[in-house]
Amino acid sequence: MASMKLTCLSCGQVNRVAPDRLSAKPKCGTCGASLMPGKAVEVDFATLQKAARTDDVPLVVDFWAPWCGPCRMMAPEFSKAASELRGDARLVKLNTEAHPKAGSAYGIRGIPTMARFKGGREAARKSGAMPAAQIVSWVKSA
């Protein structure tokens, strides 16, 4: 594969990146934001839809809400996992309270729920809070 498509999580622009450059901190050609940030990034519903449909790099989404205790407990673990998975996957968070259409569009029945997208399709799903090591293991095995 000559290049991989990555949707900028800040501006929504689709970028092409050489596979061997994924761990070299590539930046968006439009806004300059990091394409492989190494941290969990909050996204809106439109950006999630575009990235899930377009990206060649696995996209892991944490569907959460601010009032959810287990979601708040898992947040730092999800961020640690994002750092460990830098170059292999991108981890994003979507607030289902702020974006209720996302919950219904993706059939989210309980939170926290993580979904892994690859090649425009949902490849795996896992519900419940998990420690970083378990998140990393699940992402790599899915």
Side-chain angles (χ1 to χ4, degrees), residues 6 42 67 82 93 98:
L6 283 174
E42 187 76 34
W67 50 262
K93 299 176 71 63

Side-chain angles (χ1 to χ4, degrees), residues 31-97:
C31 74
S34 177
L35 293 173
M36 296 295 285
K39 64 179 182 176
V41 176
E42 187 76 34
V43 296
D44 62 22
F45 184 42
T47 303
L48 169 60
Q49 285 184 303
K50 188 172 188 179
R53 185 178 59 243
T54 307
D55 289 7
D56 292 322
V57 171
L59 180 73
V60 180
V61 185
D62 173 20
F63 292 94
W64 72 287
W67 50 262
C68 168
C71 296
R72 289 195 315 267
M73 278 181 16
M74 191 174 88
E77 297 298 309
F78 194 72
S79 290
K80 284 182 205 169
S83 179
E84 287 184 46
L85 290 164
R86 182 184 204 143
D88 295 323
R90 298 197 302 169
L91 278 64
V92 299
K93 299 176 71 63
L94 185 123
N95 180 341
T96 56
E97 189 173 308

Side-chain angles (χ1 to χ4, degrees), residues 61-64 71 74 108-115 125-128:
V61 185
D62 173 20
F63 292 94
W64 72 287
C71 296
M74 191 174 88
I108 304 302
R109 304 274 181 260
I111 51 175
T113 293
M114 289 185 297
R125 181 179 288 216
K126 187 93 170 160
S127 293

